[in-house]
Amino acid sequence: MVIKKAGDIKSSEITDRKTYLNRRQFMRGATLAGSVVATGFLYRQLLAPEPVLPTPTGKVAPDAQAAPKQWGLPGEEATPYQDITHYNNFYEFATDKYSVARTSQSLVTRPWTVSVEGLVNNPKVYDLDELLKLAPQEDRIYRHRCVEGWSMVIPWLGFSLSEVLKRAEPQGNARFVAFETVNDKKRNIPLTDALDWPYVEGLRLDEAMHPLATLASGIYGEALLPQNGAPIRLVLPWKYGYKSIKSVVRIKLVERMPPMTWNLAEPTLYGFYSNVNPKFAHRLRDQTAERRIGEYGKRETQMFNGYGDEVAQLYAGMDLNYYF
Ligand code: MTE
């Protein structure tokens, strides 16, 4: 993520790991021997064997080569399964992308409930199996753009969040939806000291009702692995990746704009809306281009990550450089 820190370091030159460490340094005033840390990190990257993990069904994980052609957007290949499942941000488990696949395997994902509550006529605590059957699971192939400047194309399996919300019957004064990630140490979540937990996120109710807002339970037709937010997560393809909260346990309809984790950590860097916007440089990072994982060079970043035809009307009249 883009991290606030002592102003002498250019964000464009900071790796994700270093960025994280610098942020913790800033926040805690602690000192770390940076070169030692960086060297240790490099050694780990070189020496650690890449774990190839079985999917929960025991089937061999598919990859983009073997997968049928429909796993891609027009003119864009789907990102290989191995990359989608081994280059992850899940700060509860680890702070570098390469170790999340290993450290998150401890996550206990059954039994699992998701509570839909707050300003609704029909609050309900769903058992996961019941929730997954609310609507047909669809293959939804979306671009996934992280504010750090990388992107993927991910073939999710899921359905619109609106399926859950409309059954809950939002009350007239419900204007926002707040989301919360599991936070229970009994589920073997190490909860690193990277952020304050639980991880929380929010949407305006009309954003949450948009058909592109997806509750995903799989990738490439296979159940989500822990590192991608098992057993159920949000996917918001027109927003920066950090809005797509993983391993959701609570969906609460509220009247006021709810807090979001990265905004709490760095209010001037991470706005509530966080729509992908190449014209708005976050204070520390230019957003005009992105590196598609698996490709050389960079692609131009598209407004709303290429989903403007679908979502732009949600923001009509808003200055998106102000409401970032
Ligand atoms: N959700 C939780 N609970 N914890 C996290 O650390 N990271 C976010 C988002 N959801 C995160 C999270 C960020 S920064 C990104 S870019 C995406 O998840 C990464 O999703 P992926 O690992 O499936 O690519």
Side-chain angles (χ1 to χ4, degrees):
M1 307 293 294
V2 184
I3 304 299
K4 184 161 100 183
K5 61 201 176 324
D8 55 337
I9 304 167
K10 277 204 200 126
S11 68
S12 56
E13 294 162 3
I14 300 171
T15 64
D16 302 319
R17 168 76 173 169
K18 281 183 192 161
T19 305
Y20 162 72
L21 290 171
N22 278 324
R23 186 170 67 82
R24 298 313 292 167
Q25 283 174 338
F26 173 81
M27 289 167 76
R28 287 157 184 264
T31 52
L32 275 176
S35 59
V36 175
V37 172
T39 310
F41 176 62
L42 266 179
Y43 273 122
R44 255 181 296 128
Q45 295 309 307
L46 290 172
L47 299 179
E50 277 279 281
V52 179
L53 302 161
T55 63
T57 58
K59 288 190 207 155
V60 177
D63 62 40
Q65 272 73 37
K69 269 278 170 240
Q70 75 260 27
W71 299 129
L73 296 167
E76 297 177 67
E77 293 289 318
T79 302
Y81 190 81
Q82 179 73 10
D83 291 332
I84 297 172
T85 55
H86 289 79
Y87 189 79
N88 301 103
N89 280 330
F90 205 163
Y91 284 84
E92 286 88 332
F93 290 94
T95 53
D96 82 80
K97 296 172 186 17
Y98 298 97
S99 55
V100 171
R102 180 171 43 79
T103 53
S104 62
Q105 295 314 299
S106 58
L107 177 65
V108 177
T109 58
R110 295 282 174 147
W112 192 275
T113 58
V114 178
S115 172
V116 183
E117 59 189 54
L119 301 173
V120 293
N121 293 331
N122 290 328
K124 185 171 165 79
V125 178
Y126 284 95
D127 179 66
L128 181 68
D129 293 322
E130 189 186 358
L131 183 62
L132 296 182
K133 286 185 205 128
L134 270 195
Q137 297 282 343
E138 300 161 357
D139 288 314
R140 295 180 164 215
I141 302 163
Y142 294 144
R143 292 178 207 98
H144 177 58
R145 169 65 156 81
C146 179
V147 75
E148 294 161 341
W150 54 267
S151 64
M152 300 188 186
V153 172
I154 304 186
W156 302 102
L157 192 64
F159 53 71
S160 294
L161 171 66
S162 63
E163 297 288 349
V164 178
L165 297 177
K166 69 187 182 201
R167 283 170 177 80
E169 292 183 18
Q171 293 171 358
N173 52 344
R175 292 183 55 232
F176 293 92
V177 187
F179 303 87
E180 195 176 306
T181 290
V182 69
N183 186 34
D184 179 358
K185 283 221 172 200
K186 284 192 261 156
R187 289 183 181 270
N188 297 333
I189 311 169
L191 295 176
T192 68
D193 61 1
L195 294 162
D196 291 332
W197 313 113
Y199 196 101
V200 289
E201 257 303 339
L203 292 172
R204 234 172 39 197
L205 180 56
D206 59 339
E207 298 181 293
M209 289 297 288
H210 193 282
L212 277 182
T214 301
L215 266 183
S217 60
I219 289 173
Y220 273 117
E222 296 289 326
L224 279 184
L225 295 176
Q227 58 265 43
N228 292 109
I232 193 150
R233 71 174 289 174
L234 201 59
V235 173
L236 303 162
W238 72 100
K239 292 179 178 284
Y240 291 116
Y242 57 86
K243 296 287 294 181
S244 293
I245 184 171
K246 296 179 168 181
S247 304
V248 171
V249 289
R250 193 182 315 282
I251 299 173
K252 185 171 182 179
L253 284 91
V254 294
E255 193 166 1
R256 292 173 186 277
M257 186 179 276
M260 46 174 284
T261 286
W262 282 100
N263 177 264
L264 290 173
E266 298 290 350
T268 58
L269 288 186
Y270 305 108
F272 179 80
Y273 288 95
S274 293
N275 294 311
V276 174
N277 184 354
K279 294 186 213 115
F280 179 65
H282 280 70
R283 188 158 54 78
L284 296 178
R285 192 183 292 269
D286 173 76
Q287 295 292 350
T288 53
E290 66 202 56
R291 186 174 69 86
R292 180 66 51 82
I293 299 300
E295 289 182 358
Y296 293 106
K298 290 201 166 183
R299 289 175 172 254
E300 270 182 28
T301 290
Q302 303 176 65
M303 188 65 203
F304 297 116
N305 208 18
Y307 298 99
D309 287 349
E310 288 88 349
V311 300
Q313 82 282 359
L314 290 171
Y315 312 102
M318 281 175 67
D319 176 357
L320 293 175
N321 293 336
Y322 181 74
Y323 295 103
F324 63 96

